[in-house]
Amino acid sequence: MRVDADKCISCGVCPPYCPMGAIGTMEDGLAFIDQDECVECGVCRRSRVCPTSAFYQPPLSWPREVRAIFSDQTYRPAGAPRRTSEGMKIGDVIGQYRRGEVHFLVELGRPGIGARFHHLEALTSAMAALGFRPRHGRALARVMDDIATGRVKDEVRNEKASRISIHYPVPAEQAGAFWVALQKAAGTVDNVMSVGLVRRCEADGTAPVHGLPVYPNGKTNVGLGRPRAEEK
Amino acid sequence: MSHALYRKGTPRNLRNDFVVMAGVAKGRNEAGAAAKARRFFDIARRHHPVNMGEITMGSAHQIDLDQIGQRLDWDTPLVHAVFTDAETVAALLRQLQEADLGLCITVSGLFEPVREYCRQAGLTPYGIEESLGILGRTDLLPAEPVVEIGTMCGHGLVSFRLIEMLAQQIREGETTTADAARELARQCVCGIFNPVRAQSLLEGMTAE
């Protein structure tokens, strides 16, 4: 994102709106965006906080485009299809979750801090050394060279996103060991990460107690999707 | 990305925070999904949500709700509606069960009332997503009430700095908690931010 200096009237209203704190003002009051901190989420432009519509989005090319791909849910790369739902929200018709398996969801930089892809490498390589590999999804395939070692592509290493999601499927009996490993690995990453646990309910709709420390709230797919996926 | 997970709070201050989502899986239940999503939108709207929206189009605090309803014309929408009590969510789920739209319905909120509704209605939940909290450099985060408000937009579009600035303006009498909550809701594109809960958290933050 950029600020059109010819349009900016130095009103100073916009800086707090940026989730990454990337908007600053110069001595004369003109707003500017720190391009290294901006994650291309588009909040400043969409918020319509600027009375003169001075924010504008130049075309993004790789590797900078990775910022928008990971940070702006309204962004669609040229030629890409409209984004679709994924994960537990559509689990009842996709059926990718199996009983006896849990899925840890790790979101680097969330909440509200943002993460660089070298943080991703620090986490995935620490977890790889402890014996855990993430699922090789489309998003990670774009940014990683080697999923087994956790190495990210050189050109994205210092790019920044509002959050970077990593998905670890783990056998249920290893959930405790994974949690211990993740806490250890988290200590080696200079950032925050929100951690979720996704799992299939039993046939009677209950979810067995696993002993991990969870919030009292979360998401429940109530099972109304049709056609229901085959039982796995 | 799980945009409606990790809503931070206490069992007490989460009692007024429920998001009901209707989604579609490409290649599975997308046939006729646009019409079904519009139907979901109409049904949910009758239950007076405090926010509503579609993940790529915008929220009730950004554009007119009629416009969102009319423009839902593709087969992979993800529609949200936010409610402030479990009873309303139960009534909506009952109606959605009767309508049998075939859309995937997920509720984000306290687990217990959702579990109880499903038990009473004979519904078998497919699965759950739980939050294990925040690891790593938690010293980078602002005060707890700011995080509680900010995490109501899982895409991270509600800036912690904006929350802190608006709280300061409330303390100085320059704005009200209601206006501040609406301004925060305006930043969230998909309409899962709860302005009622935000207002009550802002009241707590600025009371002393």
Side-chain angles (χ1 to χ4, degrees):
Chain A
M1 192 67 67
R2 302 270 176 176
V3 178
D4 183 339
D6 291 334
K7 288 187 175 176
C8 177
I9 56 170
S10 307
C11 65
V13 173
C14 56
Y17 283 77
C18 175
M20 294 295 109
I23 305 177
T25 50
M26 293 185 274
E27 276 183 16
D28 57 5
L30 282 178
F32 70 92
I33 297 178
D34 180 339
Q35 293 298 307
D36 188 45
E37 291 298 323
C38 171
V39 294
E40 306 291 359
C41 65
V43 166
C44 49
R45 189 162 56 95
R46 271 195 309 268
S47 73
R48 285 175 276 178
V49 64
C50 178
T52 60
S53 303
F55 292 107
Y56 70 98
Q57 179 66 69
L60 295 169
S61 56
W62 190 263
R64 187 161 183 95
E65 185 184 30
V66 75
R67 299 180 182 231
I69 292 170
F70 278 75
S71 309
D72 179 0
Q73 78 267 29
T74 68
Y75 182 76
R76 205 172 355 158
R82 195 183 275 271
R83 286 189 187 199
T84 56
S85 296
E86 53 188 22
M88 181 52 80
K89 286 190 291 292
I90 53 169
D92 47 351
V93 297
I94 292 286
Q96 80 269 43
Y97 297 100
R98 296 184 170 90
R99 297 194 179 101
E101 186 177 75
V102 296
H103 295 241
F104 283 87
L105 187 61
V106 184
E107 301 208 39
L108 274 165
R110 183 175 174 182
I113 302 299
R116 304 223 177 234
F117 287 88
H118 62 70
H119 293 133
L120 169 67
E121 185 170 83
L123 179 71
T124 48
S125 54
M127 289 303 287
L130 294 166
F132 295 100
R133 290 182 191 177
R135 189 178 68 178
H136 194 274
R138 266 180 309 174
L140 284 193
R142 282 174 187 263
V143 296
M144 295 192 83
D145 260 342
D146 184 354
I147 207 108
T149 61
R151 184 180 163 78
V152 303
K153 292 179 178 171
D154 287 340
E155 73 267 24
V156 301
R157 185 163 285 116
N158 204 40
E159 296 295 335
K160 186 178 179 185
S162 58
R163 73 270 164 194
I164 303 169
S165 303
I166 316 139
H167 189 142
Y168 285 95
V170 177
E173 64 272 15
Q174 287 183 28
F178 180 91
W179 177 238
V180 171
L182 183 62
Q183 289 176 93
K184 187 175 173 188
T188 68
V189 181
D190 187 23
N191 207 332
V192 293
M193 60 196 79
S194 292
V195 185
L197 185 67
V198 188
R199 57 201 180 111
R200 180 92 160 79
C201 290
E202 295 301 310
D204 63 0
T206 60
V209 174
H210 49 53
L212 300 180
V214 292
Y215 288 5
N217 59 325
K219 289 162 64 176
T220 306
N221 178 326
V222 298
L224 287 175
R226 297 289 181 275
R228 187 113 175 186
E230 292 292 310
E231 204 63 31
K232 288 180 180 170
Chain B
M1 158 50 68
S2 190
H3 63 309
L5 194 63
Y6 316 117
R7 293 166 89 92
K8 212 162 190 300
T10 62
R12 187 176 175 78
N13 74 28
L14 287 163
R15 280 188 309 195
N16 64 351
D17 190 39
F18 295 90
V19 185
V20 181
M21 293 166 266
V24 171
K26 194 164 177 55
R28 299 297 172 106
N29 57 345
E30 65 187 314
K36 289 174 182 176
R38 285 196 295 274
R39 182 90 198 283
F40 169 85
F41 196 82
D42 290 340
I43 293 172
R45 209 173 158 184
R46 275 182 239 143
H47 291 271
H48 309 293
V50 294
N51 200 356
M52 240 187 139
E54 198 282 331
I55 197 157
T56 58
M57 285 176 68
S59 80
H61 293 269
Q62 296 174 323
I63 55 175
D64 185 67
L65 272 182
D66 288 332
Q67 273 189 45
I68 300 176
Q70 286 158 13
R71 284 162 49 193
L72 277 172
D73 62 355
W74 68 100
D75 283 340
T76 53
L78 179 58
V79 188
H80 314 90
V82 181
F83 300 94
T84 56
D85 65 283
E87 293 73 25
T88 303
V89 173
L92 170 60
L93 288 177
R94 199 169 302 119
Q95 218 174 336
L96 291 172
Q97 233 180 316
E98 286 162 11
D100 197 19
L101 300 174
L103 298 174
C104 303
I105 304 293
T106 299
V107 181
S108 174
L110 289 172
F111 283 116
E112 193 47 47
V114 179
R115 195 178 295 137
E116 181 57 20
Y117 170 79
C118 290
R119 196 186 60 75
Q120 284 183 15
L123 264 180
T124 307
Y126 174 79
I128 57 172
E129 287 189 41
E130 299 162 298
S131 174
L132 293 164
I134 304 166
L135 298 182
R137 293 282 312 277
T138 51
D139 58 299
L140 297 173
L141 297 172
E144 192 70 5
V146 177
V147 177
E148 290 183 351
I149 294 172
T151 51
M152 287 195 286
C153 171
H155 288 118
L157 307 184
V158 176
S159 153
F160 289 154
R161 294 160 194 84
L162 182 62
I163 299 166
E164 286 166 340
M165 185 197 78
L166 289 168
Q168 189 56 32
Q169 289 184 354
I170 293 165
R171 289 186 196 101
E172 291 169 2
E174 291 173 17
T175 189
T176 65
T177 52
D179 284 347
R182 272 193 293 274
E183 183 61 7
L184 293 172
R186 230 165 47 74
Q187 311 310 312
C188 163
V189 171
C190 57
I192 61 170
F193 189 87
N194 181 337
V196 172
R197 178 165 180 254
Q199 183 177 350
S200 121
L201 291 169
L202 284 167
E203 281 163 6
M205 271 177 83
T206 56
E208 66 281 352

